[in-house]
Amino acid sequence: RREREEREKREEERMVEKGTEYLDKILGESSLSRCSTKLEKLKQLCSNKLWHQLSLALEDCVSDETFQSVPGFLLDLYTNFIQLFALKFNALKVVQIAVKVSQQHTQPGDAIQFLEAVKLSIRDDKQDLQNISSSSSSSQQQKDNDKAGDQDQDGQLSPEEFRLREPTLFVNMSVGQLCLQSGNAQKAKDYMEEGLKMLDQIEDADPSVISSVYSLSSQYHKVHRNFDEFYKNSLLYLAYVSTDKLPADFKLALAVDISLAALLGEGVFNFGELLLHPIVTSLVGTKFEWLHALLKCFNKGDMHAYDMICERYADALNGQPELVKKAEGLRNKITLLCLVEYLFSLPPEKRLVPLDEIASRAKLASREEAEVVIMKAMAQGMVKGVIDQVAGVIQVSWVQPRVLTHDQVRGLQTRLDQWSQKLASISPLVH
């Protein structure tokens, strides 16, 4: 055992020496003068064998635009430095760094080959470490390993495979994104479906791993114009990332895409969750501010505001082919939302609502059109009740719960205060 420890120590010293020599070499290059401070820090951490801190510093370097702006530098850094100490780092951290490095490849195919090699290397490195450990184990440990091997044959994951699930999943999702970029949608779909399946089997997965799965899923559905699925997966992606850390241009593009998906999705009738998310504030003060106004208009079911926005921002709306193509569908959607919002706003004692009143509110020509809208709302599960065609009213028994914005919550508070005052006025009569 002592010989093994001494051998490992000599190997570690050799790696540190090789790593510092590489850093000394690139520190002398004029093209990397702007990176010198961070490179010096890497050298110091490497010399002191502070592996965790070194992995964090490397993650910061590969995310730095200064490092990324030097063609091929990150690939060289990974090959000649990072790979030396990959065994010392957390496997998930290694693949996160590798994914950033792969972005220096100009061709998706080259990036895929690089990431596949990284995936194999972390598996081989961990296997080598496992072999070293097992060679010095006691006979009792050998028996335990044999039992684990029997479990593997029964279809269960070995402990090492279990630990590598998250890094492998993270790399696979990045490869899937690259497949999508290169036009291989079927391969991307295979990675997506396998990723969603694997994610269900992992307890307490790292947020970066979860977000990578939903990122691929949302991008796949965006390419195939599945607005409902794109909207759902984008919200799930945003639940596991910090919006503040997203690049400004990416954040704006995502805000535009998810807003359009909310409007165009046939099954999306609740805009409160999106409006409460900070991603939509990226639209304010840009040429897409009209989109933010449109979302608020749909959330309130305000037909008059909708017509005003359509008139005021006609050029911007006409610049979105999908909105033009589905103009009638958008009108039908906001009419349904107008109905739901109106019924929700009525006091509890007003259960019988005249159809003419609904027609007027939703800017419909007749009570017959109001009946059609109500039946559509019932079919969507948004409203429950009974229509009395003779009396020309609907008796409402239930309205679908929704995520409320801050303004809607304040309105609900006002109604609760009124209800409380009524109870207070009635309580003396009860006693």
Side-chain angles (χ1 to χ4, degrees):
R1 180 174 179 176
R2 182 177 297 176
E3 289 181 4
R4 181 175 61 83
E5 289 177 351
E6 289 179 356
R7 186 169 66 252
E8 290 177 357
K9 186 176 180 181
R10 286 196 300 271
E11 180 63 22
E12 188 176 90
E13 292 293 344
R14 187 190 68 80
M15 288 192 303
V16 170
E17 182 180 354
K18 189 175 180 180
T20 52
E21 284 179 0
Y22 171 75
L23 292 176
D24 285 335
K25 176 187 173 184
I26 61 175
L27 276 167
E29 297 181 9
S30 58
S31 60
L32 299 173
S33 57
R34 292 182 298 166
C35 309
S36 59
T37 303
K38 290 188 176 182
L39 290 174
E40 287 286 358
K41 183 180 179 181
L42 293 181
K43 181 180 176 182
Q44 182 182 5
L45 292 172
C46 177
S47 300
N48 294 330
K49 302 176 185 178
L50 298 174
W51 308 125
H52 174 65
Q53 292 87 334
L54 179 59
S55 68
L56 295 178
L58 284 168
E59 187 178 34
D60 178 54
C61 288
V62 299
S63 302
D64 192 320
E65 291 183 0
T66 306
F67 281 73
Q68 294 172 351
S69 64
V70 182
F73 170 58
L74 291 182
L75 292 167
D76 187 65
L77 181 68
Y78 187 89
T79 304
N80 294 290
F81 184 78
I82 299 173
Q83 210 166 22
L84 287 173
F85 309 102
L87 193 59
K88 302 291 184 181
F89 301 154
N90 176 282
L92 179 58
K93 187 66 68 179
V94 173
V95 298
Q96 288 172 340
I97 291 171
V99 167
K100 281 287 185 181
V101 171
S102 70
Q103 294 172 5
Q104 283 215 311
H105 281 292
T106 56
Q107 298 297 323
D110 295 336
I112 290 172
Q113 281 189 331
F114 173 79
L115 291 177
E116 290 289 359
V118 169
K119 185 167 64 173
L120 288 174
S121 70
I122 61 168
R123 188 173 295 278
D124 292 342
D125 287 342
K126 295 297 180 182
Q127 187 62 47
D128 291 343
L129 182 62
Q130 188 180 29
N131 292 338
I132 292 172
S133 300
S134 62
S135 66
S136 61
S137 62
S138 63
S139 59
Q140 180 61 43
Q141 182 67 38
Q142 185 62 44
K143 291 178 182 179
D144 292 339
N145 289 342
D146 291 341
K147 185 183 291 185
D150 293 339
Q151 290 177 343
D152 292 344
Q153 293 175 2
D154 292 336
Q156 295 185 17
L157 294 175
S158 68
E160 195 53 46
E161 288 175 327
F162 189 84
R163 284 192 290 271
L164 287 174
R165 288 185 306 170
E166 286 186 282
T168 301
L169 180 55
F170 189 85
V171 172
N172 285 345
M173 295 305 99
S174 299
V175 172
Q177 294 269 18
L178 291 165
C179 289
L180 204 58
Q181 292 173 22
S182 61
N184 193 343
Q186 183 56 50
K187 191 69 173 176
K189 182 182 179 182
D190 294 340
Y191 277 113
M192 177 189 72
E193 291 176 345
E194 183 62 26
L196 290 168
K197 185 179 177 181
M198 284 183 66
L199 188 60
D200 287 338
Q201 299 171 356
I202 302 176
E203 294 183 5
D204 300 323
D206 189 90
S208 65
V209 176
I210 301 174
S211 65
S212 70
V213 175
Y214 290 125
S215 176
L216 173 58
S217 186
S218 65
Q219 291 305 307
Y220 174 82
H221 291 298
K222 177 185 174 181
V223 169
H224 289 81
R225 298 186 179 278
N226 299 329
F227 300 112
D228 293 75
E229 288 298 320
F230 172 77
Y231 177 74
K232 181 181 76 173
N233 284 280
S234 293
L235 283 181
L236 287 168
Y237 164 74
L238 289 169
Y240 293 97
V241 297
S242 173
T243 311
D244 296 335
K245 294 182 179 179
L246 296 175
D249 54 346
F250 174 80
K251 190 159 51 173
L252 176 59
L254 180 57
V256 172
D257 288 341
I258 196 172
S259 299
L260 289 172
L263 294 168
L264 296 167
E266 294 180 1
V268 181
F269 291 96
N270 192 337
F271 295 81
E273 187 175 3
L274 178 57
L275 285 169
L276 289 172
H277 199 283
I279 190 73
V280 295
T281 59
S282 306
L283 300 169
V284 179
T286 70
K287 63 180 181 179
F288 296 104
E289 191 164 4
W290 59 270
L291 202 47
H292 187 247
L294 202 56
L295 288 175
K296 291 195 292 184
C297 169
F298 268 73
N299 188 60
K300 293 178 181 178
D302 192 333
M303 300 293 296
H304 297 281
Y306 175 69
D307 289 335
M308 290 175 61
I309 290 173
C310 288
E311 183 178 347
R312 181 178 178 182
Y313 297 103
D315 293 339
L317 288 165
N318 289 330
Q320 298 292 333
E322 289 294 335
L323 292 182
V324 175
K325 186 164 57 174
K326 296 196 174 184
E328 185 179 349
L330 289 172
R331 186 81 186 185
N332 292 335
K333 176 183 276 194
I334 195 169
T335 304
L336 286 171
L337 291 169
C338 177
L339 169 68
V340 173
E341 181 65 23
Y342 177 56
L343 296 179
F344 181 80
S345 67
L346 294 174
E349 64 272 11
K350 189 172 182 180
R351 298 290 183 179
L352 291 174
V353 186
L355 297 179
D356 290 332
E357 196 173 303
I358 292 173
S360 174
R361 179 88 176 200
K363 302 181 75 171
L364 298 170
S366 64
R367 67 166 62 176
E368 286 75 18
E369 289 186 13
E371 285 182 30
V372 173
V373 171
I374 293 168
M375 286 188 285
K376 285 181 180 178
M378 288 179 173
Q380 291 283 350
M382 302 169 72
V383 175
K384 291 181 182 179
V386 178
I387 300 175
D388 186 339
Q389 289 181 309
V390 177
V393 298
I394 176 176
Q395 184 176 359
V396 182
S397 58
W398 180 84
V399 177
Q400 185 183 54
R402 298 194 296 154
V403 177
L404 303 179
T405 61
H406 297 305
D407 290 338
Q408 289 171 320
V409 170
R410 280 190 285 270
L412 188 59
Q413 180 186 8
T414 302
R415 291 170 60 183
L416 288 172
D417 289 340
Q418 293 172 351
W419 176 72
S420 178
Q421 291 170 6
K422 286 183 180 179
L423 284 180
S425 64
I426 293 172
S427 58
L429 299 176
V430 176
H431 293 298

